[in-house]
């Protein structure tokens, strides 16, 4: 399968001397649903900004859909739809005009643009707002407006920089459904997000970036398989006052609110824990994972990343 | 099928024209009011005591200069404020991620500026008919010089907006450079009235050439050679146009 995005040895040094990217390598296959994760300031937006022609690279190579970013920039731009993190439309323009205008930049005449605008505004549930000034939309609607705008020229690759930031759960889930369907129809999707649950449930492959370096990359399932333990929290109808010594095999601890926090290593079964609680007559009322596995992997990798000097 | 670049260019122009029409109380109305005041105060009240200037009554003499002043400030102001607003609220990114070559972006914004400059110029010209008879002596010179001037100042407005980092920066050049140069560019007087030294200094002011050539097109008199004005305008278009393209290509002030 061809690569939708190939980044090699990409370096970005800002004018103030800050090295945002220290020579990253990244590959996203055509048709993939890919997440680029990392803490704030890790280099996610810089990477996507370079791919989107919004940030100048210092060195390195970027190929999008097989086209070279420097020598074939126009083809690169035609291949991409970009949904940035910040709202970047004229807030005083009407929703419909924003979409038609953007379509014009991609060479769609007004008639073609109007058809596409109607299609995508309807798909993103914004058709009823077509004559509304963008500034009057809610935060979730503004995000959907940017998605509709990015799709109006039907790009092969859609880049979304924190698309669900600040939107409520209902809208977030409807956006997930929309993006999943879009990906199923063949659009490669690359997103950054702080919602790790989102990345874990949507993305087949992911990369974690920290301090300008890729610290993990691969299929989501494979990366999570390497996560050696998961943390759970159990609640009881009657909280135990202390835990017998045998619970130490699960690194179990009483928490302040009377719950028990314990860890399951790879290869261990939850049934072993249930059996132990049962043995000491501690019936579990409810149980939940403390964090999802990806969150634990993310924290492990980013918090334990060693300081490295600039490669530049 | 229409070429994609043409569609992109016309999209930018339509957007720019719609913008200044939508906010007409800020764009079209102020020059109309200001120029009517100029016509009444300088042309009628004071002008009637001045008598003739360059062989024409004072009102006839100042009308071409005031039209040119309107075109210059509005062409410049349209591009500098629109481009900077786009940059400030990041909607310029819509263009930067799209496959629109920089020369199309430059042309689109410049034609938007020319459109507003000419729209305001036509409004002022129509208003001047209440105060003075307007007979165009050289129609080609009149149209070509006003178009070239609008293009030059539209490009200059875009360069100003590229360098600007705050709204104050787009008002500094019009206030401290354009307005003085326009007032000293022979809008209200013939430079032949000045002492020789100040005539020489005045001839370093490019706006003097534009105003006088336009005046030549309308009433047929000029303080300077018309050919020199065309050469200067051509040079400005090339130099400023190349500079603007360089700035857009390198992403100065636009891409980090």
């Amino acid at each position: 399968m061809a690569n939708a995005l190939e980044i090699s040895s990409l370096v970005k040094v800002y004018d103030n001397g800050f090295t945002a990217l220290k020579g990253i390598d990244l590959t996203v296959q055509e048709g993939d649903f890919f997440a680029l994760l990392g803490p704030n300031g890790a280099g996610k937006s810089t990477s996507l900004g370079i791919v989107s022609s919004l940030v100048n690279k210092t060195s390195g190579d970027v190929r999008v859909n097989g086209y070279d970013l420097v020598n074939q920039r126009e083809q690169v731009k035609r291949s991409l739809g970009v949904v940035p993190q910040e709202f970047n439309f004229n807030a005083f323009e009407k929703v419909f005009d924003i979409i038609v205008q953007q379509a014009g930049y991609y060479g769609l005449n007004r008639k073609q643009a109007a058809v596409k605008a109607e299609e995508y505004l309807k798909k993103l549930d914004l058709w009823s707002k077509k004559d509304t000034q963008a500034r009057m939309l809610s935060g979730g609607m503004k995000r959907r407006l940017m998605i509709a705008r990015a799709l109006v020229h039907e790009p092969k690759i859609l880049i979304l920089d924190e698309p669900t930031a600040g939107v409520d759960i209902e809208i977030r889930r409807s956006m997930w459904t929309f993006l999943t369907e879009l990906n199923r129809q063949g659009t490669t999707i690359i997103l950054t997000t702080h919602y790790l649950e989102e990345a874990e449930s949507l993305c087949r492959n992911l990369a974690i970036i920290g301090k300008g370096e890729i610290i993990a990359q691969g299929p989501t399932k494979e990366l999570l398989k390497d996560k050696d333990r998961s943390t759970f929290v159990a609640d009881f109808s009657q909280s135990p006052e202390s835990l017998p010594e045998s619970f130490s095999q699960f690194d179990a601890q009483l928490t302040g609110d009377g719950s028990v926090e314990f860890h399951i290593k790879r290869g261990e079964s939850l049934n072993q824990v249930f059996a132990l609680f049962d043995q000491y007559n501690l019936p579990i009322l409810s149980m939940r994972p403390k964090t999802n596995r990806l969150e634990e992997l993310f924290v492990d990798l980013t918090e334990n990343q060693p300081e490295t000097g600039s490669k530049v | 099928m229409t070429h994609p670049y043409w569609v992109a260019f016309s999209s930018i122009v339509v957007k720019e024209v719609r913008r200044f029409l939508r906010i007409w109380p800020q764009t079209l109305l102020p020059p109309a009011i200001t120029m009517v005041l100029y016509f009444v105060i300088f042309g009628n009240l004071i002008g009637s005591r001045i008598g003739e200037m360059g062989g024409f009554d004072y009102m006839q003499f100042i009308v071409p200069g005031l039209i040119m002043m309107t075109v210059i400030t509005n062409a410049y102001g349209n591009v500098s404020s629109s481009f900077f607003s786009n940059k400030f609220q990041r909607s310029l990114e819509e263009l930067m991620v799209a496959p629109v070559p920089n020369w199309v972006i430059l042309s689109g914004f410049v034609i938007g500026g020319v459109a507003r400059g000419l729209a305001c110029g036509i409004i002022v010209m129509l208003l001047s008919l209440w105060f003075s008879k307007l007979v165009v002596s050289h129609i080609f010179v009149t149209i070509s010089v006003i178009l070239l001037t609008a293009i030059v100042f539209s490009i200059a407005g875009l360069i100003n907006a590229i360098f600007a980092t705050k709204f104050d920066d787009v008002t500094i050049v019009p206030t401290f450079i354009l307005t003085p140069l326009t007032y000293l560019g022979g809008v209200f007087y013939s430079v032949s009235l000045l002492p020789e030294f100040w005539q020489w200094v005045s001839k370093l002011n490019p706006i003097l050439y534009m105003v006088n050539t336009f005046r030549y097109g309308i009433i047929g008199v000029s303080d300077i050679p018309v050919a020199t004005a065309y050469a200067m305008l051509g040079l400005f278009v090339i130099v400023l146009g190349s500079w603007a393209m360089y700035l857009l290509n390198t992403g100065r002030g636009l891409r980090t």
Side-chain angles (χ1 to χ4, degrees), chain B residues 87-140:
Chain B
K87 192 170 100 166
F88 186 76
Q89 59 181 338
R90 304 181 68 161
S91 56
L92 198 64
E93 290 178 4
E94 292 177 330
L95 267 169
M96 290 165 64
V97 299
V100 185
N102 288 328
W103 62 267
V104 174
I105 296 176
L106 175 65
S107 312
F109 275 94
V110 165
I111 296 304
V114 170
R116 174 162 153 203
L118 292 185
C120 293
I122 289 167
I123 289 170
V124 171
M125 189 190 74
L126 293 174
L127 287 170
S128 75
L129 297 176
W130 289 86
F131 302 92
S132 168
K133 205 168 64 179
L134 190 74
V135 180
V136 178
S137 303
H138 305 280
I139 186 76
F140 173 77

Side-chain angles (χ1 to χ4, degrees), chain A residues 56 74 88 97 101 149, chain B residues 5 11 18 93-94 255:
Chain A
N56 286 329
E74 191 173 323
N88 70 342
D97 292 339
Q101 184 74 32
R149 187 186 60 182
Chain B
Y5 291 171
S11 296
R18 284 174 60 180
E93 290 178 4
E94 292 177 330
R255 286 195 295 268

Side-chain angles (χ1 to χ4, degrees), chain B residues 25-39:
Chain B
Q26 296 171 47
T27 53
L28 302 179
L29 192 58
I33 292 173
T34 309
M35 290 305 150
V36 166
L37 290 172
Y38 275 125
F39 291 143

Side-chain angles (χ1 to χ4, degrees), chain A residues 212-237:
Chain A
E213 292 174 311
I214 300 287
I215 46 181
Q217 183 175 186
T220 310
K221 281 180 185 169
E222 289 294 315
L223 288 169
L224 293 177
K225 207 167 69 181
D226 292 340
K227 180 78 196 90
D228 59 357
R229 67 179 203 171
S230 301
T231 307
F232 292 88
V233 178
D235 298 310
F236 305 87
S237 52

